[in-house]
Amino acid sequence: MHNFKNNIESDKKEQPLFVKSVARALEIINYVVKSPKSPGFTMIQQALDIPKSSLSYLMQELVQQEYLQFDSDMKVYYPGLQLIRIGASCINTSNLSDELWRGAKQLSEELGETAHAVILEDRFVIFVAKCRGATEVSAISNIGFRLAAHATAGGKMLLSSLTDEELARRFRDAELEKYTEFTNTNYEELKMELREIGKNGYATDDQANVAGGFCVAAPIYDKTGKMIAAISVSVLVTKITDEYLQFLIRKVQAAAKNVSIRLGKV
């Protein structure tokens, strides 16, 4: 009995430390995943203010368990295979993800072009579906890929649903990424463009993240009427004429509307 009581008391003493370690591990994972550039040890330590000895132990464990991957040449950390597996499992079991993939697939097959579906995370988009067309015009190599929202049609579509206050919070002190010579990195100009996108109900991207590519996106809503994703099609910029652009806009908007209806929007 004495040993049993001692074990209980010992567990109670260790539990707060264990919980603190778990919280720190989740903080680290969240920081690495959301960081615009792959961070090194010092960058993580300074950002999260975790003692070096504790951080060193946690980083070793996260790498060993494949939640993070360490690049020994660049001395930086990336999301590991375990995180990718978990993300893929979540996508595969989500009704939203199923509908987004189905919508992108139907759009791609109808037009013979590459289609994507994206969701917004802070000021970035995460690509949750991709269906290749006959001509590949995309900078996206895999599901889960992140790009700055201001440089994508789908990202701008989603940003257009935010208030000026929310935009200011997300872009505060941010240096907008420039992927090509056509990427707009002026925040004030971006805000003006987003207002027009909100009025028009579609967004375009003219070679902003991949040279030679043109993208058209439309919004997807849930049953409450909230914009939760965007679907898009990417084509060679040389194909774009006024007539073909209007055709693409109609097709992408129709695809987005069909997905929204399947998600319960009336």
Side-chain angles (χ1 to χ4, degrees):
M1 176 64 75
H2 177 72
N3 289 338
F4 180 70
K5 292 177 72 174
N6 285 344
N7 288 340
I8 292 176
E9 291 174 1
S10 176
D11 287 345
K12 287 181 178 178
K13 289 178 181 178
E14 292 177 3
Q15 189 176 22
L17 182 60
F18 174 74
V19 171
K20 188 174 184 179
S21 295
V22 171
R24 281 177 169 172
L26 292 174
E27 264 191 306
I28 293 167
I29 290 171
N30 193 50
Y31 181 76
V32 172
V33 168
K34 292 185 176 182
S35 182
K37 296 190 297 184
S38 299
F41 183 91
T42 301
M43 186 175 175
I44 296 170
Q45 197 272 326
Q46 291 176 346
L48 303 182
D49 195 26
I50 299 174
K52 289 184 178 179
S53 58
S54 299
L55 181 60
S56 178
Y57 169 78
L58 288 169
M59 297 305 288
Q60 289 177 33
E61 187 66 21
L62 289 170
V63 170
Q64 184 176 341
Q65 296 296 328
E66 297 188 328
Y67 285 95
L68 296 180
Q69 179 180 345
F70 180 64
D71 186 323
S72 57
D73 294 325
M74 301 296 292
K75 307 296 183 185
V76 295
Y77 293 88
Y78 302 91
L81 291 176
Q82 188 69 298
L83 281 184
I84 295 171
R85 293 187 192 106
I86 293 171
S89 297
C90 290
I91 288 173
N92 290 336
T93 57
S94 166
N95 180 60
L96 171 61
S97 298
D98 287 345
E99 295 298 347
L100 292 177
W101 181 86
R102 186 178 292 112
K105 182 173 183 291
Q106 290 175 348
L107 184 62
S108 177
E109 290 176 347
E110 184 176 1
L111 297 176
E113 304 286 359
T114 298
H116 302 100
V118 298
I119 58 175
L120 189 64
E121 181 185 75
D122 195 33
R123 63 179 190 87
F124 296 88
V125 286
I126 299 176
F127 286 76
V128 295
K130 174 182 178 178
C131 295
R132 288 183 173 86
T135 304
E136 175 72 291
V137 189
S138 175
I140 312 311
S141 56
N142 56 279
I143 302 305
F145 196 89
R146 295 169 81 241
L147 272 178
H150 72 275
T152 71
K156 288 188 291 185
M157 189 72 254
L158 290 164
L159 289 174
S160 74
S161 69
L162 304 179
T163 64
D164 286 346
E165 292 75 15
E166 182 60 20
L167 281 172
R169 185 191 70 77
R170 296 191 187 206
F171 283 87
R172 184 178 295 117
D173 300 326
E175 183 177 342
L176 301 191
E177 293 79 0
K178 190 174 184 64
Y179 296 110
T180 74
E181 61 178 308
F182 301 100
T183 310
N184 180 16
T185 58
N186 185 295
Y187 176 64
E188 293 303 322
E189 290 180 5
L190 173 64
K191 284 203 303 180
M192 292 175 60
E193 184 181 5
L194 294 179
R195 292 191 191 103
E196 287 300 309
I197 289 170
K199 294 176 185 176
N200 296 335
Y202 69 87
T204 61
D205 146 30
D206 187 355
Q207 305 184 78
N209 65 76
V210 59
F214 191 98
C215 188
V216 179
I220 291 172
Y221 300 91
D222 65 11
K223 61 184 178 182
T224 69
K226 178 183 178 182
M227 192 187 302
I228 55 171
I231 192 168
S232 65
V233 64
S234 299
V235 305
L236 288 170
V237 71
T238 52
K239 291 184 177 182
I240 295 298
T241 62
D242 289 342
E243 183 179 1
Y244 188 51
L245 175 57
Q246 293 306 313
F247 170 76
L248 290 177
I249 291 170
R250 290 195 300 271
K251 290 296 184 181
V252 176
Q253 286 181 323
K257 183 178 180 181
N258 286 339
V259 175
S260 298
I261 290 172
R262 291 201 298 268
L263 291 172
K265 185 179 184 298
V266 295

